[in-house]
Amino acid sequence: YQPNSSNYNYRKGFIQLYSASNFGEAIKHLEIAVQKINNNYDMYSHKETGAPADAYYHLGKAYHWNEQLDKAAEYYNLFITNSKKKSELLPLAKLCLQQVAVAKKELSLPRKSIVNNLGENINTQYGDYSSVVSLDGKSLYYTSRRPWEKNESDDYRDPKLNNFTEDIYLSVREGKNWGTPVRMDLCIPDRNEAPISVSIDERRIYTYQDITGGGDIYFSDFKSNKFQDLKKVDIPGLNTEFWEPHCSVTPDGLNIYFSSDRPGGYGGRDIYRLVKLPNGQWSQPINLGPEINTEYDEDAPFIAIDNKTMYFSSNGPKSMGGFDVFVSVRNEDNLWSPVINLGSPINSTGDDLYFTTTANGKKAYLTSYRKNGHGDKDIYEIEDDFLGAESLVVLKGNLHNYTDTPLSEQAHALVRCVSCNSEAERVSLRQRDGAFIKVIEPCADYEITFMKDDNTPLSTQVFSTECNAKYSEVYKEDFVVDYQLAGRTFDRANGQNLEGVKITMVNTRTGET
């Protein structure tokens, strides 16, 4: 009835900005709202036609997200000049002005990175976020708020924002493209589930749940060909009555990094570290200190395959706006290098979180709320030429299974450094395809034994690693193949004597005879 009312346009713009996640549409309404600012604004009166000074701040935020930085600074300053001195938004406006200055600098000096929205196969009009990529780049776990196919989740929508519940989806890379995402069986329609980390063999997935404390970290293990129901992580000092929204377990399993807003930190959410002790117990939580944590929020830590490079997000004065992704490296004395903002185009003027990389660091994935998205938060793929791992040798491989039966859950590889005189280490395989990945020593001699189960070796292969200081990969594979003759099955691991028998075999993968 009053389309030009500043009060109406303030309310509509606010909803478009924070609920509908449409800052372009929000700008149209908030530009009308600021034309009539009422310092005695009465939000409960139906006769009110003006808007509060807060409208300046929200219009500045909309311009900020839309990368119209001069206009953003103009309206942040108007808000600071006209707001009440006790306004809770006043320190945020001053912080945003610092972030605008960072954004101008970073946008003028972009890095050589390619950032691509993963498109409609992964992203929807609903929120898609909190992605975790496997180290070999073939699995993408992520959260989506899309509705269930048969409307089973309709009755459990958030009464405040009308959002569907969070569910975990898995997409498997098929060649150069990501396959159709599948909702994981552990999800139920009346519960929020969000992935935050996966083990190196993808047999354990860590999730965030908001049903205990202020929100805690849970896990599910893969057993009997499926992920089991979620259980709360029972490590002293990890989960508390406060908010623990994220964790990352290092590939070697010896450290857990997590975020928490518990008292005693530097402010907001801080990042902490747990260390596995020689007796198998976990240390007390260790705050990473002022080199990493600030009076603002630090969240979403991710530890690369080298067990020392940490990517995380912070929304402090060194950000371009909201959360930005930063990187720091831990040295042998457990000291962290000065944090570096990954800059544009990896970071945007919106929120950028949940940065995870493949083993070589050349490809990464993150959640972002930025221009030209699909609606709410989207997942983006990043290709770069400056974040790659260095001085690292990675062993990759597969135990292929071409029979009708699934690979045994006990199938594994035994990896031993011969020149190190070390014991063989058991390496678990990804159940889906028998893949594995492990960091090994450079300039060393190794042997790998593929095991069909706990008792049946298939083959032993020997190899040596390069001695240079660059990143390198070694690939080893074996096959579980049954040969059939006159109705009888001969597994080559059983040592059957087939001498003198002519057999024609066809490779079912390539068709080669």
Side-chain angles (χ1 to χ4, degrees):
Y1 299 110
Q2 296 178 331
N4 295 316
S5 163
S6 288
N7 185 23
Y8 159 73
N9 282 282
Y10 167 64
R11 294 168 180 270
K12 185 65 177 290
F14 184 94
I15 291 171
Q16 290 286 350
L17 186 62
Y18 298 109
S19 178
S21 302
N22 188 338
F23 43 82
E25 189 68 21
I27 288 173
K28 299 177 184 178
H29 292 284
L30 292 172
E31 283 180 334
I32 298 174
V34 297
Q35 293 177 12
K36 186 179 180 181
I37 297 297
N38 182 1
N39 291 328
N40 296 312
Y41 175 76
D42 185 353
M43 67 179 296
Y44 299 105
S45 173
H46 69 280
K47 297 180 181 179
E48 179 65 73
T49 58
D54 290 4
Y56 287 132
Y57 172 84
H58 299 304
L59 181 54
K61 179 64 74 173
Y63 278 129
H64 195 163
W65 283 340
N66 206 42
E67 297 183 3
Q68 294 176 264
L69 299 179
D70 289 334
K71 281 187 170 291
E74 175 188 348
Y75 282 99
Y76 287 144
N77 280 313
L78 280 170
F79 169 74
I80 292 171
T81 302
N82 292 278
S83 70
K84 295 179 180 179
K85 300 308 177 185
K86 294 183 179 180
S87 171
E88 294 179 352
L89 295 176
L90 195 56
L92 292 178
K94 294 177 180 179
L95 172 64
C96 287
L97 282 174
Q98 293 177 278
Q99 293 175 342
V100 164
V102 174
K104 286 184 176 181
K105 175 184 176 182
E106 296 292 351
L107 289 172
S108 67
L109 299 168
R111 269 73 161 181
K112 293 181 180 179
S113 298
I114 301 172
V115 180
N116 292 316
N117 188 299
L118 286 185
E120 295 179 354
N121 188 40
I122 299 296
N123 295 313
T124 64
Q125 62 179 308
Y126 308 99
D128 301 283
Y129 49 96
S130 189
S131 63
V132 183
V133 69
S134 62
L135 289 171
D136 66 355
K138 294 182 179 180
S139 304
L140 187 69
Y141 300 83
Y142 69 101
T143 302
S144 181
R145 285 192 179 273
R146 66 192 68 183
W148 285 35
E149 297 80 1
K150 297 181 180 180
N151 304 319
E152 300 98 321
S153 60
D154 284 11
D155 292 339
Y156 306 106
R157 298 178 78 156
D158 173 13
K160 181 179 180 181
L161 298 176
N162 208 34
N163 288 327
F164 290 99
T165 53
E166 297 176 323
D167 294 300
I168 303 173
Y169 285 77
L170 170 62
S171 177
V172 176
R173 183 177 281 279
E174 300 170 353
K176 295 183 178 180
N177 301 313
W178 287 104
T180 301
V182 176
R183 187 178 61 251
M184 298 187 69
D185 291 338
L186 60 86
C187 298
I188 58 177
D190 61 343
R191 181 179 70 188
N192 289 317
E193 303 101 356
I196 53 179
S197 180
V198 295
S199 62
I200 193 170
D201 60 4
E202 297 178 57
R203 293 198 181 195
R204 172 170 288 192
I205 182 170
Y206 293 89
T207 72
Y208 168 73
Q209 292 274 272
D210 57 4
I211 58 177
T212 57
D216 289 319
I217 296 167
Y218 285 66
F219 74 96
S220 172
D221 283 337
F222 189 89
K223 294 179 180 178
S224 302
N225 284 322
K226 66 177 184 178
F227 279 97
Q228 305 299 303
D229 201 11
L230 296 171
K231 296 180 180 180
K232 188 176 177 181
V233 176
D234 186 19
I235 296 178
L238 178 60
N239 289 317
T240 67
E241 61 184 294
F242 302 98
W243 190 20
E244 284 79 36
H246 200 88
C247 81
S248 176
V249 181
T250 54
D252 62 8
L254 299 180
N255 294 268
I256 299 176
Y257 292 81
F258 68 97
S259 54
S260 176
D261 69 349
R262 64 191 62 186
Y266 289 83
R269 278 161 275 166
D270 279 5
I271 298 176
Y272 294 78
R273 177 187 176 203
L274 290 165
V275 180
K276 200 165 193 177
L277 304 174
N279 62 5
Q281 301 297 312
W282 290 93
S283 70
Q284 291 296 311
I286 305 164
N287 189 298
L288 295 194
E291 295 81 8
I292 301 296
N293 294 313
T294 69
E295 63 181 288
Y296 301 95
D297 293 312
E298 281 69 45
D299 204 352
F302 168 75
I303 307 298
I305 196 171
D306 62 4
N307 296 305
K308 62 183 181 180
T309 300
M310 180 175 70
Y311 300 93
F312 67 99
S313 290
S314 176
N315 60 5
K318 295 181 180 180
S319 162
M320 294 170 57
F323 282 97
D324 273 9
V325 181
F326 294 80
V327 64
S328 180
V329 180
R330 177 173 56 89
N331 67 18
E332 294 179 354
D333 297 321
N334 288 323
L335 299 176
W336 292 93
S337 65
V339 299
I340 298 174
N341 187 315
L342 296 191
S344 173
I346 294 176
N347 287 316
S348 69
T349 54
D351 284 328
D352 303 289
L353 290 145
Y354 311 116
F355 186 93
T356 63
T357 76
T358 56
N360 63 10
K362 296 294 186 182
K363 190 163 285 188
Y365 296 82
L366 90 160
T367 298
S368 186
Y369 174 52
R370 62 179 69 190
K371 292 175 65 174
N372 304 317
H374 284 264
D376 201 332
K377 296 176 284 291
D378 282 353
I379 299 171
Y380 292 78
E381 182 181 76
I382 299 165
E383 297 180 57
D384 67 73
D385 60 358
F386 69 94
L387 289 177
E390 297 179 355
S391 305
L392 206 62
V393 181
V394 173
L395 173 63
K396 290 183 175 181
N398 283 84
L399 179 58
H400 303 283
N401 184 23
Y402 293 134
T403 64
D404 294 332
T405 57
L407 191 68
S408 168
E409 287 187 18
Q410 285 70 46
H412 62 280
L414 294 173
V415 179
R416 185 171 75 93
C417 180
V418 178
S419 56
C420 308
N421 292 320
S422 61
E423 296 291 328
E425 184 175 348
R426 181 183 178 121
V427 179
S428 297
L429 311 179
R430 182 166 58 201
Q431 188 66 22
R432 182 181 76 238
D433 57 5
F436 67 92
I437 188 168
K438 175 180 171 53
V439 175
I440 55 178
E441 295 295 326
C443 206
D445 299 323
Y446 276 87
E447 68 176 22
I448 179 171
T449 300
F450 288 92
M451 301 291 293
K452 183 178 179 180
D453 48 42
D454 282 334
N455 303 307
T456 313
L458 295 173
S459 70
T460 297
Q461 304 174 35
V462 296
F463 62 94
S464 299
T465 55
E466 297 181 7
C467 298
N468 61 46
K470 298 180 180 179
Y471 176 88
S472 63
E473 292 183 355
V474 178
Y475 183 81
K476 296 295 176 183
E477 63 182 357
D478 203 349
F479 303 84
V480 178
V481 183
D482 291 338
Y483 307 123
Q484 288 191 331
L485 177 67
R488 296 175 60 195
T489 298
F490 298 89
D491 185 327
R492 64 173 174 159
N494 291 339
Q496 296 283 354
N497 182 10
L498 301 182
E499 185 177 356
V501 179
K502 182 178 180 181
I503 300 177
T504 299
M505 299 194 307
V506 179
N507 185 320
T508 57
R509 180 173 55 165
T510 65
E512 179 185 4
T513 300

